[in-house]
Amino acid sequence: MNIRPKKLLLHSTFFLCALGTAFSAKPNVVFIMADDLGWADTTLYGHTALYETPNLERLAKRGMLFDRAYTASPLCSPTRSAVLTGLHPARTGLTAPTCHLAGEPILRPSLKLNTPAHHKLLTLTKVNRLDTKYPNMAKTLKQAGYHTAHFGKWHLGRSPFTALDHGFDVDVPNWFGPGPAGSYVAPWKFPDFKEAYPGEHIEDRMADEIDSYLEKRAVDKKPFFLNYWQFSVHGPFNAKADYIESYKDKIDPNDAQNSPTYAAMVKSLDDNVGRVLDQLDELKLSKNTLIFFYSDNGGNMYSEVDGTTPTSNRPLRGGKGNNWDGGVRVPCIAVWPGHIEKKSKSRELVTSTDFYPTILDLLGIPKNEEQTFDGLSIRPALEGKPMDNRHIFTYFPHATKVPDTFPNSAAIYDNEWKLIRLLHNAPNGDHEHWLFHLKKDIGERNEVSKKYPKKVSELGKELDRFLAETGAVYPTPNPNYDPNKASSPKPKKTYSAAQFKRMDKNKDGFLTIKEYIGNPKGRNVPALKKQFSRRDNNADGKLTLAELNK
């Protein structure tokens, strides 16, 4: 029998332990970002009686729950760009969710000097790609020896502006659209990514792909940055049939959150956060992995599903697409065993641009000398220490038609105070300001600017400084404005079900681009293609009647 000498065995054991220590010297990073998941859409803060998020609660128990986390924008692409680059949308100019649209890349915003005379303000040419010139989290961590992988929604640009072009080694499913192609539940419409079995859910598939990825990292021992940006709970609004059925008996018609489909979507989101945690645990990677969970903006309270809105952000006001807190206050969790206290909570202000500098600080990786951050490291908060008083900003220089919205705006937060600036909205063309004390008025119903003029002036100056420092481009008074030419907006054309049926030549319940254009002779086909792309909300290459009338 061949027996290993004891001395050699001890030497080998020491070597393996040293090797393990060397491999674990660099912590892994997992960043999970939900899409359109509102502050009241989880059980973390006690504002839902319908949705079930046990895995998010499980995650929060492992680390720190942030009560006052905000996004830099009330819409997805701007927030995503801010998380990745540490730069505010006011600086990059990427302020609208336009990155899935076809056409020439627009990397900087500009004012349309030929804006028609009936508009009081000049309108903006919108950025539609995140410029690859910016340093970002993936590039920096890759340079530091990390393997980088992106799973899920991207929405920062088509090729050559995909996740692969922005420093990720892996990009699954390598999709530019604002939501899953066609449906959450297969069959999907991704051009190069097919379901493994009938009825497969896209988040389940992402978890499968992540499982395989983590198994490879457990073998090669390379530190990794795993960026899981969930498609959930953005439209299209569909879910596993058995999940939907299970929530139908739980609906309270008197509760503003009363969509069984949306509840089922939240459940799938939570399921797959749990699966990522399970795999990290199974592979014994959890103890050396820094995890953040976040959402890109507040909940959608204006689309329609199950005869109601997807969700409600109460007690917050507003939601996705506006600068009320319902549009920008979101769930946030940070976990790092041995470094962040379990079951801890923080009321420090946190925003999208903080994650990149925080991760570099925690990992001991220096930023490039020429690099700018609009956020800061929240390491003191993660260590349970108070942070210096700071201001954070949200910015949305666009007007939307969502309920309870307002014109082009920016906002500044100062501890419990919030000042909203409506850009050039006063009758004389000046900025208009609304002030709220959020500690006393979480629903933003009591506007107090006249009562606290000094606070308005103080925060207004800080907002001026921020907009100037970032070089923000926003609508300004139109020199060609003629009030005599101003009129009520032209009624938008809507299509009846009968008209839609006539256009739907193959009778499949959808319109293709060819069916939408019809006979191309004498028609402005490029303009029609742009219209189609704007209406194609989930970028699946076909229109429903609801999308046609968008």
Side-chain angles (χ1 to χ4, degrees), residues 30 32 55-56 58-60 62 214 271-283 286 291 335:
V30 173
I32 305 175
N55 289 298
L56 288 179
R58 171 184 165 200
L59 182 64
R62 297 186 178 195
L214 290 175
D271 284 351
N272 289 290
V273 170
R275 284 193 55 193
V276 174
L277 297 183
D278 289 343
Q279 184 71 330
L280 290 170
D281 291 348
E282 177 70 21
L283 298 172
S286 297
I291 304 174
V335 173

Side-chain angles (χ1 to χ4, degrees), residues 58-112:
R58 171 184 165 200
L59 182 64
K61 288 176 182 177
R62 297 186 178 195
M64 180 173 285
L65 176 66
F66 284 88
D67 184 54
R68 295 197 299 163
Y70 286 87
T71 59
S73 166
L75 286 174
C76 52
S77 298
T79 295
R80 291 162 189 275
S81 71
V83 168
L84 197 64
T85 66
L87 300 176
H88 204 281
R91 188 181 298 276
T92 62
L94 204 172
T95 58
T98 51
C99 293
H100 60 289
L101 300 178
E104 288 298 312
I106 301 171
L107 303 180
R108 289 299 305 164
S110 60
L111 291 170
K112 295 181 180 179

Side-chain angles (χ1 to χ4, degrees), residues 213-278:
Y213 175 80
L214 290 175
E215 286 169 0
K216 292 175 183 176
R217 301 291 76 78
V219 170
D220 67 20
K221 306 295 184 183
K222 192 166 186 177
F224 58 83
F225 168 39
L226 192 163
N227 201 44
Y228 177 23
W229 288 0
Q230 297 178 292
F231 288 106
S232 302
V233 285
H234 192 285
F237 297 102
N238 56 65
K240 296 179 180 180
D242 57 332
Y243 279 15
I244 296 173
E245 194 64 32
S246 73
Y247 280 101
K248 287 183 177 179
D249 291 337
K250 300 177 183 179
I251 296 300
D252 177 359
N254 296 316
D255 187 342
Q257 294 179 338
N258 58 18
S259 166
T261 298
Y262 190 83
M265 294 173 73
V266 173
K267 178 169 173 54
S268 283
L269 177 153
D270 184 78
D271 284 351
N272 289 290
V273 170
R275 284 193 55 193
V276 174
L277 297 183
D278 289 343

Side-chain angles (χ1 to χ4, degrees), residues 253 405 484 496:
T405 191
N484 295 321
S496 67

